[in-house]
Amino acid sequence: MSSPARIPATSLRAQAYESFQQQIVQANIHPGQFISQRELMQLLGMPLGAVRELIPRLEAEGLLHTVPQRGLQIAHVDLKLINNAFQLRLLLEREAAVRFAASVSDADLKAIEEAHLQIVRRARSGTIDDSLLTDATMVDWGLHDLMIDACNNELISDVYRINSLRVRLIKLEGSTLSADVLLPAMEEHLWFIDALKQRDPVAVAQRITHHIESAHRRVLGLPRPEMPWSLENLK
């Protein structure tokens, strides 16, 4: 009888990292939370060896650090982390958005716009429940991820993904897509998509900047910047 195939250590490390990402996205890991190696192993569903190899990577990326005599602590959200994460996000996404405007097909833009309009229709026609918020979050982040990956630069994508985890931790602290945030977020996206459709690099850069600064201000508890465009234009 042949022995069972062994999963390469590199694959286990990659799976552990991917599982850690999902735990943040699903809000099973929270900013400032203390967690033991054993608890992390159980949460990720990975062997202890893979978790031990994962920890240095998470520490290097600033997502987790070791506190003497207390164990592992998920990154704590403070003003410095918020400002740094959103500044990096703006630098990456503004460049990616301008490149995306020049390369994305009309058919893909139409599909992206329709996905946003479906969220708006659902929000206007019924209760904004958890299912809709989950779908809206996927549509929201999906556009940002798509623009970054369209750069076809693994270094940019890796830096962006790490920073996205920081931003998601920040959002868990007080800025997840909620019922009162959903429509304004879709409004900003559709205004931005309109600039993409026009293939206007200046408008694209201005509108993605507005959108990211709006999210930044929301996290800080500041008023949303004034919008020169409204969902009422869709009527």
Side-chain angles (χ1 to χ4, degrees):
M1 181 184 295
S2 62
S3 59
R6 297 184 60 185
I7 301 175
T10 52
S11 294
L12 285 175
R13 288 197 296 270
Q15 289 176 33
Y17 187 76
E18 183 176 341
S19 181
F20 184 84
Q21 291 177 306
Q22 287 302 312
Q23 298 309 314
I24 290 179
V25 172
Q26 296 169 9
N28 295 325
I29 292 178
H30 298 275
Q33 173 184 347
F34 280 93
I35 189 168
S36 69
Q37 288 188 13
R38 290 279 178 186
E39 290 170 335
L40 191 56
M41 177 186 73
Q42 294 170 358
L43 187 62
L44 302 183
M46 299 300 298
L48 187 57
V51 170
R52 284 176 173 164
E53 292 186 359
L54 171 67
I55 289 170
R57 177 178 180 179
L58 297 178
E59 288 183 313
E61 294 176 355
L63 297 170
L64 174 151
H65 65 278
T66 301
V67 179
Q69 301 182 347
R70 294 205 63 182
L72 305 171
Q73 186 181 27
I74 306 302
H76 179 69
V77 172
D78 58 16
L79 183 60
K80 181 178 180 180
L81 175 64
I82 292 171
N83 290 338
N84 287 350
F86 274 95
Q87 182 181 32
L88 179 56
R89 183 182 174 190
L90 179 58
L91 290 173
L92 292 173
E93 291 195 45
R94 187 162 49 197
E95 174 68 17
V98 171
R99 290 175 176 268
F100 188 68
S103 64
V104 64
S105 69
D106 290 342
D108 285 345
L109 275 179
K110 184 176 180 179
I112 291 167
E113 183 179 45
E114 180 56 30
H116 285 75
L117 291 174
Q118 286 182 10
I119 296 296
V120 172
R121 293 187 197 107
R122 288 171 61 187
R124 284 175 162 174
S125 64
T127 303
I128 299 179
D129 56 15
D130 288 343
S131 175
L132 177 54
L133 290 173
T134 297
D135 291 345
T137 299
M138 291 180 63
V139 168
D140 184 326
W141 281 95
L143 175 56
H144 295 278
D145 292 347
L146 182 62
M147 290 192 301
I148 289 291
D149 289 340
C151 292
N152 294 316
N153 186 317
E154 292 181 359
L155 294 177
I156 291 175
S157 291
D158 287 346
V159 170
Y160 172 79
R161 291 290 187 272
I162 294 168
N163 197 57
S164 287
L165 291 179
R166 299 188 190 105
V167 172
R168 282 172 166 86
L169 278 174
I170 292 167
K171 286 176 173 287
L172 292 180
E173 193 80 348
S175 182
T176 52
L177 265 188
S178 57
D180 59 332
V181 170
L182 186 150
L183 284 174
M186 291 297 104
E187 183 175 60
E188 290 171 5
H189 266 227
L190 285 164
W191 185 49
F192 169 64
I193 290 168
D194 180 65
L196 289 174
K197 290 166 60 179
Q198 296 177 41
R199 313 288 179 171
D200 183 341
V202 174
V204 164
Q206 290 175 339
R207 294 179 190 184
I208 193 66
T209 297
H210 182 284
H211 176 55
I212 293 173
E213 288 183 347
S214 178
H216 188 183
R217 289 173 64 86
R218 187 166 67 245
V219 167
L220 296 175
L222 300 173
R224 177 189 180 211
E226 184 177 348
M227 272 282 292
W229 188 89
S230 170
L231 284 173
E232 299 304 314
N233 295 353
L234 298 176
K235 287 185 176 180

